[in-house]
Short mmCIF file of all heavy atoms in Angstrom, two decimals:
data_model
loop_
_atom_site.label_atom_id
_atom_site.label_comp_id
_atom_site.label_asym_id
_atom_site.label_seq_id
_atom_site.Cartn_x
_atom_site.Cartn_y
_atom_site.Cartn_z
N GLY N 1446 91.84 103.77 86.99
CA GLY N 1446 92.89 102.78 87.19
C GLY N 1446 92.60 101.71 88.21
O GLY N 1446 93.30 100.70 88.27
N THR N 1447 91.59 101.92 89.04
CA THR N 1447 91.37 100.96 90.12
C THR N 1447 89.94 100.44 90.09
O THR N 1447 89.10 100.96 89.33
CB THR N 1447 91.70 101.58 91.48
OG1 THR N 1447 91.78 100.54 92.45
CG2 THR N 1447 90.69 102.64 91.90
N ALA N 1448 89.66 99.44 90.91
CA ALA N 1448 88.34 98.78 90.89
C ALA N 1448 87.35 99.53 91.76
O ALA N 1448 86.60 98.95 92.54
CB ALA N 1448 88.49 97.33 91.36
N ALA N 1449 87.36 100.85 91.63
CA ALA N 1449 86.44 101.73 92.36
C ALA N 1449 85.77 102.65 91.36
O ALA N 1449 85.86 102.43 90.15
CB ALA N 1449 87.20 102.52 93.43
N GLY N 1450 85.09 103.69 91.87
CA GLY N 1450 84.38 104.59 90.99
C GLY N 1450 82.96 104.11 90.74
O GLY N 1450 82.52 103.08 91.27
N PRO N 1451 82.21 104.86 89.92
CA PRO N 1451 80.82 104.49 89.65
C PRO N 1451 80.71 103.26 88.75
O PRO N 1451 81.58 103.02 87.91
CB PRO N 1451 80.27 105.74 88.93
CG PRO N 1451 81.47 106.37 88.29
CD PRO N 1451 82.61 106.11 89.22
N HIS N 1452 79.65 102.49 88.93
CA HIS N 1452 79.37 101.35 88.05
C HIS N 1452 79.26 101.84 86.61
O HIS N 1452 78.67 102.88 86.37
CB HIS N 1452 78.04 100.70 88.48
CG HIS N 1452 77.62 99.55 87.64
ND1 HIS N 1452 78.32 98.37 87.60
CD2 HIS N 1452 76.57 99.39 86.79
CE1 HIS N 1452 77.72 97.52 86.78
NE2 HIS N 1452 76.64 98.13 86.28
N PRO N 1453 79.89 101.19 85.60
CA PRO N 1453 80.41 99.81 85.64
C PRO N 1453 81.91 99.68 85.89
O PRO N 1453 82.47 98.61 85.68
CB PRO N 1453 80.08 99.33 84.23
CG PRO N 1453 80.32 100.55 83.38
CD PRO N 1453 79.82 101.71 84.22
N TYR N 1454 82.60 100.77 86.30
CA TYR N 1454 84.05 100.68 86.45
C TYR N 1454 84.53 99.56 87.37
O TYR N 1454 85.44 98.80 87.00
CB TYR N 1454 84.63 102.02 86.91
CG TYR N 1454 84.77 103.03 85.79
CD1 TYR N 1454 83.92 104.12 85.70
CD2 TYR N 1454 85.76 102.89 84.82
CE1 TYR N 1454 84.04 105.05 84.67
CE2 TYR N 1454 85.90 103.82 83.79
CZ TYR N 1454 85.04 104.89 83.72
OH TYR N 1454 85.18 105.80 82.70
N PRO N 1455 83.98 99.38 88.59
CA PRO N 1455 84.49 98.30 89.44
C PRO N 1455 84.38 96.92 88.78
O PRO N 1455 85.28 96.08 88.94
CB PRO N 1455 83.60 98.39 90.69
CG PRO N 1455 83.19 99.83 90.74
CD PRO N 1455 82.99 100.22 89.31
N GLU N 1456 83.31 96.72 88.02
CA GLU N 1456 83.13 95.43 87.36
C GLU N 1456 84.09 95.26 86.18
O GLU N 1456 84.76 94.23 86.04
CB GLU N 1456 81.69 95.28 86.86
CG GLU N 1456 81.46 93.97 86.11
CD GLU N 1456 80.11 93.91 85.41
OE1 GLU N 1456 79.32 94.86 85.53
OE2 GLU N 1456 79.86 92.90 84.73
N LEU N 1457 84.19 96.27 85.35
CA LEU N 1457 85.01 96.10 84.15
C LEU N 1457 86.50 96.05 84.49
O LEU N 1457 87.26 95.27 83.90
CB LEU N 1457 84.68 97.14 83.08
CG LEU N 1457 85.00 98.62 83.26
CD1 LEU N 1457 86.42 98.95 82.84
CD2 LEU N 1457 84.01 99.45 82.44
N VAL N 1458 86.93 96.85 85.47
CA VAL N 1458 88.33 96.79 85.89
C VAL N 1458 88.64 95.41 86.48
O VAL N 1458 89.66 94.79 86.17
CB VAL N 1458 88.66 97.90 86.90
CG1 VAL N 1458 90.07 97.72 87.48
CG2 VAL N 1458 88.55 99.28 86.24
N ARG N 1459 87.73 94.90 87.32
CA ARG N 1459 87.90 93.55 87.87
C ARG N 1459 88.02 92.51 86.76
O ARG N 1459 88.91 91.65 86.80
CB ARG N 1459 86.71 93.19 88.76
CG ARG N 1459 86.75 91.77 89.30
CD ARG N 1459 85.38 91.29 89.72
NE ARG N 1459 84.50 91.07 88.58
CZ ARG N 1459 83.18 90.92 88.68
NH1 ARG N 1459 82.59 91.01 89.86
NH2 ARG N 1459 82.45 90.70 87.60
N ASP N 1460 87.14 92.60 85.77
CA ASP N 1460 87.17 91.58 84.71
C ASP N 1460 88.44 91.67 83.88
O ASP N 1460 89.00 90.63 83.49
CB ASP N 1460 85.92 91.71 83.84
CG ASP N 1460 84.66 91.20 84.54
OD1 ASP N 1460 84.77 90.72 85.69
OD2 ASP N 1460 83.58 91.27 83.94
N PHE N 1461 88.91 92.88 83.60
CA PHE N 1461 90.17 93.01 82.86
C PHE N 1461 91.36 92.50 83.69
O PHE N 1461 92.30 91.94 83.15
CB PHE N 1461 90.41 94.46 82.44
CG PHE N 1461 89.50 94.95 81.34
CD1 PHE N 1461 88.98 96.24 81.38
CD2 PHE N 1461 89.15 94.14 80.28
CE1 PHE N 1461 88.14 96.71 80.38
CE2 PHE N 1461 88.30 94.59 79.27
CZ PHE N 1461 87.80 95.88 79.32
N GLN N 1462 91.31 92.70 85.01
CA GLN N 1462 92.41 92.26 85.87
C GLN N 1462 92.31 90.78 86.28
O GLN N 1462 93.30 90.19 86.73
CB GLN N 1462 92.49 93.13 87.13
CG GLN N 1462 92.90 94.57 86.89
CD GLN N 1462 94.34 94.72 86.41
OE1 GLN N 1462 95.06 93.74 86.19
NE2 GLN N 1462 94.77 95.96 86.25
N SER N 1463 91.15 90.16 86.08
CA SER N 1463 90.98 88.76 86.48
C SER N 1463 91.88 87.80 85.72
O SER N 1463 92.03 86.64 86.11
CB SER N 1463 89.52 88.33 86.33
OG SER N 1463 88.73 88.89 87.34
N VAL N 1464 92.49 88.30 84.65
CA VAL N 1464 93.48 87.48 83.94
C VAL N 1464 94.60 87.04 84.90
O VAL N 1464 95.17 85.96 84.75
CB VAL N 1464 94.05 88.26 82.72
CG1 VAL N 1464 94.87 89.46 83.16
CG2 VAL N 1464 94.89 87.34 81.84
N ILE N 1465 94.88 87.85 85.92
CA ILE N 1465 95.92 87.53 86.91
C ILE N 1465 95.58 86.23 87.62
O ILE N 1465 96.37 85.28 87.67
CB ILE N 1465 96.10 88.66 87.94
CG1 ILE N 1465 96.47 89.97 87.26
CG2 ILE N 1465 97.15 88.27 88.98
CD1 ILE N 1465 96.44 91.18 88.20
N GLY N 1466 94.38 86.18 88.22
CA GLY N 1466 93.98 85.01 88.98
C GLY N 1466 93.70 83.80 88.10
O GLY N 1466 93.99 82.66 88.48
N THR N 1467 93.14 84.05 86.91
CA THR N 1467 92.87 82.94 85.99
C THR N 1467 94.17 82.24 85.61
O THR N 1467 94.25 81.00 85.62
CB THR N 1467 92.15 83.47 84.72
OG1 THR N 1467 90.93 84.08 85.11
CG2 THR N 1467 91.88 82.35 83.74
N GLU N 1468 95.19 83.03 85.29
CA GLU N 1468 96.50 82.45 84.97
C GLU N 1468 97.12 81.76 86.18
O GLU N 1468 97.61 80.63 86.09
CB GLU N 1468 97.46 83.54 84.47
CG GLU N 1468 97.17 84.05 83.08
CD GLU N 1468 98.12 85.16 82.67
OE1 GLU N 1468 99.05 85.49 83.45
OE2 GLU N 1468 97.93 85.70 81.57
N ALA N 1469 97.10 82.44 87.33
CA ALA N 1469 97.73 81.89 88.54
C ALA N 1469 97.11 80.56 88.93
O ALA N 1469 97.80 79.62 89.34
CB ALA N 1469 97.62 82.89 89.69
N ARG N 1470 95.80 80.47 88.78
CA ARG N 1470 95.07 79.24 89.14
C ARG N 1470 95.52 78.08 88.25
O ARG N 1470 95.81 76.98 88.73
CB ARG N 1470 93.57 79.49 88.98
CG ARG N 1470 92.69 78.51 89.72
CD ARG N 1470 91.22 78.94 89.62
NE ARG N 1470 90.38 78.07 90.41
CZ ARG N 1470 90.03 76.84 90.03
NH1 ARG N 1470 90.45 76.37 88.88
NH2 ARG N 1470 89.27 76.10 90.82
N ALA N 1471 95.60 78.33 86.94
CA ALA N 1471 96.04 77.29 86.01
C ALA N 1471 97.51 76.95 86.22
O ALA N 1471 97.91 75.77 86.17
CB ALA N 1471 95.80 77.76 84.58
N GLN N 1472 98.32 77.97 86.49
CA GLN N 1472 99.77 77.75 86.64
C GLN N 1472 100.11 76.94 87.89
O GLN N 1472 100.97 76.06 87.85
CB GLN N 1472 100.49 79.11 86.66
CG GLN N 1472 100.51 79.80 85.30
CD GLN N 1472 100.91 81.27 85.38
OE1 GLN N 1472 100.62 81.96 86.37
NE2 GLN N 1472 101.55 81.77 84.35
N ILE N 1473 99.42 77.22 89.01
CA ILE N 1473 99.73 76.47 90.23
C ILE N 1473 99.24 75.03 90.12
O ILE N 1473 99.87 74.11 90.63
CB ILE N 1473 99.16 77.18 91.49
CG1 ILE N 1473 99.88 76.67 92.75
CG2 ILE N 1473 97.67 77.00 91.63
CD1 ILE N 1473 101.34 77.07 92.85
N LEU N 1474 98.13 74.82 89.41
CA LEU N 1474 97.66 73.45 89.18
C LEU N 1474 98.67 72.69 88.33
O LEU N 1474 98.93 71.50 88.57
CB LEU N 1474 96.30 73.47 88.49
CG LEU N 1474 95.11 73.84 89.38
CD1 LEU N 1474 93.84 74.05 88.54
CD2 LEU N 1474 94.87 72.78 90.45
N GLU N 1475 99.27 73.38 87.37
CA GLU N 1475 100.28 72.74 86.52
C GLU N 1475 101.57 72.46 87.30
O GLU N 1475 102.16 71.38 87.17
CB GLU N 1475 100.58 73.63 85.31
CG GLU N 1475 101.59 73.03 84.35
CD GLU N 1475 101.91 73.94 83.18
OE1 GLU N 1475 101.20 74.95 82.99
OE2 GLU N 1475 102.89 73.64 82.46
N GLN N 1476 101.98 73.42 88.13
CA GLN N 1476 103.28 73.29 88.81
C GLN N 1476 103.21 72.44 90.07
O GLN N 1476 104.17 71.74 90.41
CB GLN N 1476 103.83 74.68 89.15
CG GLN N 1476 104.21 75.48 87.91
CD GLN N 1476 104.80 76.85 88.25
OE1 GLN N 1476 105.61 76.99 89.15
NE2 GLN N 1476 104.38 77.87 87.51
N GLU N 1477 102.09 72.50 90.80
CA GLU N 1477 101.99 71.79 92.08
C GLU N 1477 100.90 70.72 92.10
O GLU N 1477 100.82 69.94 93.04
CB GLU N 1477 101.73 72.80 93.21
CG GLU N 1477 102.92 73.69 93.54
CD GLU N 1477 103.98 72.98 94.39
OE1 GLU N 1477 103.73 71.83 94.81
OE2 GLU N 1477 105.04 73.58 94.62
N GLY N 1478 100.05 70.74 91.08
CA GLY N 1478 98.99 69.74 91.00
C GLY N 1478 97.82 70.00 91.93
O GLY N 1478 96.96 69.14 92.11
#
């Protein structure tokens, strides 16, 4: 469940969760410029 454990878990969990930051980055650019 978390970005720990043996490789490749930290990488794959990070990549699946990066949707959070990818969306937030686009959304703040849209809302605040």
Side-chain angles (χ1 to χ4, degrees):
T1447 193
H1452 178 66
Y1454 281 107
E1456 178 190 357
L1457 68 86
V1458 172
R1459 176 201 70 194
D1460 286 359
F1461 289 140
Q1462 292 293 3
S1463 286
V1464 67
I1465 301 170
T1467 300
E1468 287 178 4
R1470 199 174 184 283
Q1472 288 166 328
I1473 199 67
L1474 285 171
E1475 181 182 349
Q1476 293 181 43
E1477 290 282 354

